[in-house]
Amino acid sequence: MAIRSVSRVGVVARALNAVGDFASAFPARFAIGVFFLLIVAFTLLLSLPVSRAGSSPTPLADAVFTAVSVICVTGLATVDMATFWSPVGHGIILLGVEIGGIGALTLASILGLVISRKLGLRAKLMAASDSNPLRIQRGAVAEGQAVRLSEIGGLLATVAISTVVIEAAIAVLLLPRILLQGISLPDALWQSVYFSAMAFTNTGFVLSPNGLAPFSEDVWFLGVIMVGVVLGSIGFPVIYVLSRNLRRPKRWSLHVKLTLVTSGILLALGAIAYFALEFGNPATFGQMDAGQRVLQSLFLSVMTRSGGFSTVDISQLNGSSLLVTDMLMFIGGGSGSTAGGIKVTTLAILFLAAVAEARGHSEMEAFERRIPTDVLRVAVSVTLWGATTVAVATAVILQVTGAPLDLVLFDVISAFATCGLSTGLIGQLPDPAVYVLATTMFLGRVGTVTLAAALAARTQRQLFRRAEERPIVG
C-alpha cells in the first residue's frame, strides 16, 4: 500500500511539473487554456437545476454566453439576470466574476504565494505574463516598465489586498443608500457586496429587475459606483505603483503616467461629448436639470470604459452618441486591469508615434522617456487585430440576423471590449449569433496579443536581413 501511495504521489508530482513547465514555456497558451476550462466549468455549473430560478432547464446557448460573460467580466446577457438565476446561480456568477476580474494566472500565483509563502521564478513569469502582454514573448524582456519581475510578489499582494479593501469599502458606502430603499438588512448586505464586485471588476450585472432605476439620480450611489469602476479600470500595476509612491509623482513610471493622463482626458472628453450630444434628447438627458445632465454625462463616460452600468436606455441615444460610445468602448481601460478594449496606453503609443512622425523625430518620447519601437509594433498589432475581430463578428451577425448596422456594431464592440452596455439587441439574437458574440468576448478578454502569441509555434530569430525597399504609404 505504501509503495502504491508513493507511486501515485510521484505521478501527481510529475503531472504538476509538466503543467508548470508548459505554463513557463508557453504562458499565453496556458492562459487561454485556463480561461477555456473556466468557461466550461461555469457553463456546467450554470446549467445545474439549482442555478436556475425556474423549473425549466437552462438553454445551452444561455449557459455558455453567461459563463463567457462572467469569466470575461463583460456584463452582457441573453436573459434577465435578476430573475433568471436563483440565489445559488448569482453566487456562482459572483465567484466567476471575481476569478475573471483578477485573472486566472494571477489568482493561481496568489494562492501559491499564500500556501508556500514564497514565489519561484516560474510563478513570477506566469503572473507577469497575466499583467504584461510584452512578457508573453520568449526571451529576455527589458525591465524598464511599470512593475519589474522582482516586484511581482508585491504586485500579487497588491492585487489581493486592493481587491478586498476596495470592494469592501464600496460595499460599506453603498449599504446605507440601499437600506433607504426599504430593503431588509440581509438583502441590502448581499446587494451592496454584489454591486461592489460588479463595479470594481467592471462587469455591470445587477440583481434588481429595474437595474439602476431606483438610484438613477442618486449622486452618492452613482459617484461610489464610478469610483469603483475607475479604480478597477486603471489596472493593478498602476495601483501597485501609486500605493508606494502616491505623493511622489516623479517616481511614477511612464506606464502609470500615460494611463492616468490618457484616462483622464478620455473621461473628460467623453463627458463633454455626451453633454453636448444628448442635451436636447428627451429620451435621455433632455428632461433633466443642469446638475443631473452633468452627472449623467460623466457617469456614461465612465461606464463606456468597461463599467457596463447604465441609467438610461442605450437604444435611445442619438446616433452620434452611439458612435462616440463605440470609440470609447473600443479603447477601454488600462493594461493589467479588469477593463477590456485595446487599452488606453495603446492609444497613447499610437498618438505619440503620430506626433513623432509629424515632428520628424525618429523616436517616440513622453515624460522625458524614450519608448522603443517594439512597443509600437505591439500597439499596432493590438489595434489591427481588435478592429479585425470586431469587423468579422459584425459582418457575421449582420448576415445571420439582418439587424441594423449601428446596433450590431455597438453590441459587438461592447462584447469585444468586455464593456457590458447593450442596445437590447442581444436578447433577440438567434443561437448562432449568440455564439459569435461569446467568441468575441473571449477574444477581447484573452487579448489579441496573447492569442497571436499562443498561435505562434515559437519566436524565431532571423539571422539575415533582406534588401530594403520603401513602399508608398498614405
Side-chain angles (χ1 to χ4, degrees):
M1 295 295 293
I3 296 177
R4 289 184 180 180
S5 178
V6 172
S7 63
R8 290 176 182 175
V9 173
V11 171
V12 173
R14 286 195 295 271
L16 292 177
N17 286 332
V19 172
D21 292 340
F22 180 80
S24 300
F26 307 101
R29 297 181 186 180
F30 183 71
I32 292 177
V34 170
F35 262 97
F36 180 78
L37 291 177
L38 283 172
I39 290 171
V40 172
F42 276 83
T43 298
L44 296 175
L45 290 174
L46 292 173
S47 299
L48 297 175
V50 71
S51 300
R52 175 76 187 272
S55 58
S56 58
T58 302
L60 178 61
D62 294 330
V64 171
F65 190 90
T66 304
V68 176
S69 185
V70 166
I71 297 301
C72 297
V73 289
T74 303
L76 293 175
T78 55
V79 298
D80 186 345
M81 294 295 293
T83 60
F84 189 87
W85 304 107
S86 67
V88 174
H90 282 293
I92 293 172
I93 289 170
L94 181 61
L95 175 63
V97 163
E98 295 287 11
I99 295 174
I102 294 176
L105 300 186
T106 299
L107 181 60
S109 300
I110 292 174
L111 294 176
L113 180 61
V114 171
I115 295 173
S116 63
R117 296 188 178 183
K118 63 180 181 179
L119 201 64
L121 178 60
R122 174 185 295 170
K124 288 182 179 180
L125 290 172
M126 287 172 56
S129 67
D130 207 23
S131 61
N132 185 356
L134 290 178
R135 291 188 182 277
I136 62 179
Q137 55 188 331
R138 302 180 66 178
V141 177
E143 285 297 305
Q145 49 195 314
V147 182
R148 295 175 173 84
L149 190 62
S150 60
E151 300 174 323
I152 291 299
L155 174 62
L156 293 177
T158 299
V159 171
I161 295 173
S162 63
T163 300
V164 174
V165 172
I166 292 174
E167 290 189 5
I170 295 172
V172 170
L173 294 175
L174 293 179
L175 181 59
R177 294 301 189 187
I178 298 176
L179 287 173
L180 289 176
Q181 295 296 319
I183 299 174
S184 64
L185 180 59
D187 289 340
L189 284 171
W190 169 237
Q191 288 193 26
S192 63
V193 170
Y194 199 87
F195 269 121
S196 66
M198 297 304 162
F200 183 68
T201 60
N202 282 213
T203 306
F205 287 138
V206 294
L207 287 171
S208 172
N210 297 325
L212 291 183
F215 312 101
S216 61
E217 298 182 358
D218 191 321
V219 177
W220 178 267
F221 189 94
L222 298 184
V224 173
I225 291 292
M226 283 191 284
V227 170
V229 170
V230 169
L231 290 176
S233 67
I234 61 176
F236 291 113
V238 174
I239 295 176
Y240 170 78
V241 174
L242 293 181
S243 66
R244 284 156 173 73
N245 303 287
L246 182 60
R247 298 183 179 180
R248 292 178 289 181
K250 291 184 178 180
R251 301 190 64 177
W252 295 356
S253 65
L254 177 60
H255 171 77
V256 173
K257 294 176 181 178
L258 286 178
T259 299
L260 295 179
V261 171
T262 309
S263 296
I265 292 174
L266 290 174
L267 288 177
L269 292 179
I272 293 172
Y274 288 125
F275 184 86
L277 297 175
E278 295 297 316
F279 188 89
N281 187 349
T284 54
F285 301 167
Q287 305 299 324
M288 301 178 181
D289 56 37
Q292 279 296 319
R293 283 172 175 164
V294 172
L295 174 64
Q296 300 299 333
S297 298
L298 181 60
F299 186 80
L300 187 55
S301 180
V302 172
M303 293 307 116
T304 56
R305 311 301 307 290
S306 192
F309 294 102
S310 177
T311 56
V312 297
D313 186 349
I314 297 298
S315 64
Q316 297 300 315
L317 292 175
N318 291 323
S320 54
S321 298
L322 288 177
L323 181 58
V324 169
T325 308
D326 287 341
M327 293 186 290
L328 292 175
M329 290 192 302
F330 187 74
I331 296 169
S335 299
S337 73
T338 59
I342 63 172
K343 304 298 189 297
V344 293
T345 44
T346 301
L347 176 67
I349 294 300
L350 295 177
F351 176 78
L352 291 173
V355 171
E357 185 65 26
R359 292 179 176 178
H361 296 173
S362 60
E363 295 179 332
M364 297 180 294
E365 296 180 352
F367 298 104
E368 300 181 352
R369 291 291 185 270
R370 177 179 58 86
I371 303 173
T373 56
D374 63 325
V375 178
L376 176 60
R377 289 199 299 269
V378 173
V380 172
S381 299
V382 168
T383 305
L384 181 60
W385 280 103
T388 301
T389 302
V390 169
V392 171
T394 301
V396 173
I397 294 178
L398 283 173
Q399 183 65 25
V400 172
T401 65
L405 172 61
D406 55 344
L407 301 185
V408 173
L409 180 62
F410 186 97
D411 282 16
V412 167
I413 293 178
S414 181
F416 169 78
T418 66
C419 178
L421 296 176
S422 176
T423 59
L425 178 67
I426 293 179
Q428 308 169 15
L429 294 178
D431 287 355
V434 168
Y435 290 125
V436 171
L437 269 186
T439 304
T440 305
M441 286 191 292
F442 180 80
L443 294 177
R445 181 55 179 166
V446 169
T448 51
V449 174
T450 304
L451 182 66
L455 296 178
R458 64 181 63 183
T459 301
Q460 297 179 350
R461 177 177 296 179
Q462 191 167 325
L463 301 179
F464 62 92
R465 298 180 66 183
R466 300 189 185 277
E468 184 179 275
E469 184 172 348
R470 296 177 179 269
I472 299 174
V473 178

